[in-house]
Amino acid sequence: MKSSLTRRYRFAASHRLHTTKLSEAENKRVYGKCSNPYGHGHNYVLEVTMTGMVDPETGMIANLGDLDPFVRREVIEPFDQKFLNEEVAEFRAEVATTENVAREIFRRLKSFPLARLERVRIEETSKNSFEIEDEVNEVRG
Amino acid sequence: MIRITRKVEFSAAHFYHNPNFSAEENRRVFGKCNNPHGHGHNYVLEVTIAGEPDPTTGMVLDLKELKDILQREVMERMDHRHLNYEVPELAGQIPTCENIAAVIWKLLEPKITTGKLDRVRLYESPDLFVDCTSDVGSGNGARA
């Protein structure tokens, strides 16, 4: 038996799906109303899954006293109540789709020193969700 | 293969305290969960069984049978109990979501004789849950 711990967080942010690699007409065709130049926003729900040994002294895979401040510092503070395209440097270079947001969040959380990041899952709305997993784990699994 | 999931809810009290730690260390590591008077949660347990549907009944297993197993193994042991004092399987362990889920896995695994226990997911709150899954083929090694 192996176990994992999943914690849910929330942030609200705006974005616009638009790339300079495409013409205005193509942007409009590909991204539809998500390309509206003024942007729009979502209440994102972020699920962070950690794996590792359960520490016999604490009974924990990851202590929320360590994990919560780490996620807050790496993701929630820089992303919450922000315009992702302008205010998160990585999305000046790439489209702020939730696929790319998930990948960026995975990259930021991977350095958590006290457990292994297994999966990041984001609900952009209650109808759309996006998942990214540790590739080493995928090969093993 | 088909997976079927049954959900049950139980309410229980607990607190976190390690007798090997000093009082100060307990407070630092466990924060307000160290309050010796305890606190409680409405736990939500999702149990997933995997298998092939029986060609006659069309069922992986009889959900009534699973409901009875969950009642006997989990609800009667843990519902409206203090997990630090009243559940022998947790004796000597900190009753974290990780440890409770592992105890539930160990209790259920031998009782599931039709199909196979695939996953135990235990929510301590809507924003925190632990998954236990079989590690066969994962290469991750056994867990304590």
Side-chain angles (χ1 to χ4, degrees):
Chain A
M1 184 207 74
K2 61 173 182 166
S3 48
S4 65
L5 172 102
T6 300
R7 179 78 160 151
R8 281 163 73 93
Y9 305 89
R10 288 166 186 78
F11 62 92
S14 60
H15 70 168
R16 178 198 181 196
L17 303 188
H18 181 270
T19 174
T20 52
K21 292 173 196 154
L22 297 174
S23 71
E24 284 309 309
E26 281 169 322
N27 268 291
K28 200 161 183 191
R29 184 178 57 77
V30 173
Y31 296 123
K33 60 186 179 182
C34 301
S35 200
N36 169 9
Y38 297 106
H40 64 279
H42 298 287
N43 294 322
Y44 293 91
V45 176
L46 168 64
E47 275 185 16
V48 176
T49 300
M50 292 285 173
T51 59
M53 293 296 286
V54 176
D55 181 341
E57 293 294 320
T58 63
M60 296 171 181
I61 291 170
N63 191 330
L64 298 183
D66 299 315
L67 183 61
D68 285 354
F70 179 80
V71 174
R72 209 174 301 129
R73 190 180 72 234
E74 295 296 325
V75 178
I76 306 301
E77 281 170 15
F79 285 50
D80 189 35
Q81 312 290 325
K82 297 286 169 67
F83 180 42
L84 299 176
N85 299 51
E86 294 291 336
E87 295 182 274
V88 177
E90 287 78 6
F91 302 119
R92 288 190 200 129
E94 59 179 5
V95 190
T97 57
T98 305
E99 290 90 328
N100 284 336
V101 172
R103 194 149 59 182
E104 176 57 21
I105 290 175
F106 194 94
R107 194 187 65 75
R108 288 174 180 233
L109 297 183
K110 207 170 163 43
S111 60
F112 183 67
L114 303 168
R116 193 171 62 78
L117 178 65
E118 183 179 71
R119 187 174 62 239
V120 160
R121 178 174 170 270
I122 306 183
E123 294 172 12
E124 179 184 78
T125 68
S126 59
K127 292 176 188 158
N128 299 334
S129 68
F130 303 77
E131 271 181 54
I132 176 166
E133 289 195 5
D134 181 8
E135 281 168 15
V136 176
N137 192 52
E138 280 173 11
V139 172
R140 272 195 209 141
Chain B
M1 188 188 63
I2 305 284
R3 290 189 176 91
I4 65 174
T5 299
R6 174 93 187 162
K7 181 156 83 171
V8 291
E9 297 186 26
F10 62 93
S11 303
H14 71 171
F15 68 99
Y16 297 166
H17 178 85
N18 185 333
N20 301 325
F21 292 169
S22 68
E24 196 279 321
E25 217 175 350
N26 268 296
R27 273 194 300 276
R28 184 179 56 75
V29 173
F30 298 125
K32 57 187 180 181
C33 300
N34 185 231
N35 171 8
H37 299 291
H39 62 278
H41 298 284
N42 296 322
Y43 290 92
V44 176
L45 172 65
E46 287 179 5
V47 175
T48 301
I49 310 296
E52 294 298 334
D54 180 282
T56 308
T57 65
M59 300 191 292
V60 173
L61 86 169
D62 185 347
L63 273 173
K64 170 76 169 63
E65 192 189 321
L66 180 58
K67 186 181 168 188
D68 291 344
I69 292 170
L70 294 179
Q71 179 64 29
R72 207 165 48 238
E73 300 299 329
V74 180
M75 300 300 283
E76 285 173 18
R77 266 192 182 81
M78 299 187 183
D79 189 33
H80 287 76
R81 303 283 184 181
H82 196 302
L83 301 175
N84 295 67
Y85 304 125
E86 295 185 274
V87 180
E89 290 78 6
L90 280 166
Q93 299 186 60
I94 319 262
T96 55
C97 204
E98 289 92 325
N99 281 338
I100 303 165
V103 162
I104 293 173
W105 175 279
K106 284 172 198 157
L107 286 168
L108 294 181
E109 197 182 23
K111 306 289 177 188
I112 306 296
T113 50
T114 315
K116 197 170 154 298
L117 183 59
D118 185 67
R119 191 183 72 188
V120 163
R121 172 172 287 185
L122 182 66
Y123 287 86
E124 183 180 277
S125 76
D127 290 335
L128 179 68
F129 62 84
V130 165
D131 280 336
C132 291
T133 50
S134 167
D135 63 358
V136 175
S138 74
N140 278 345
R143 292 281 184 267

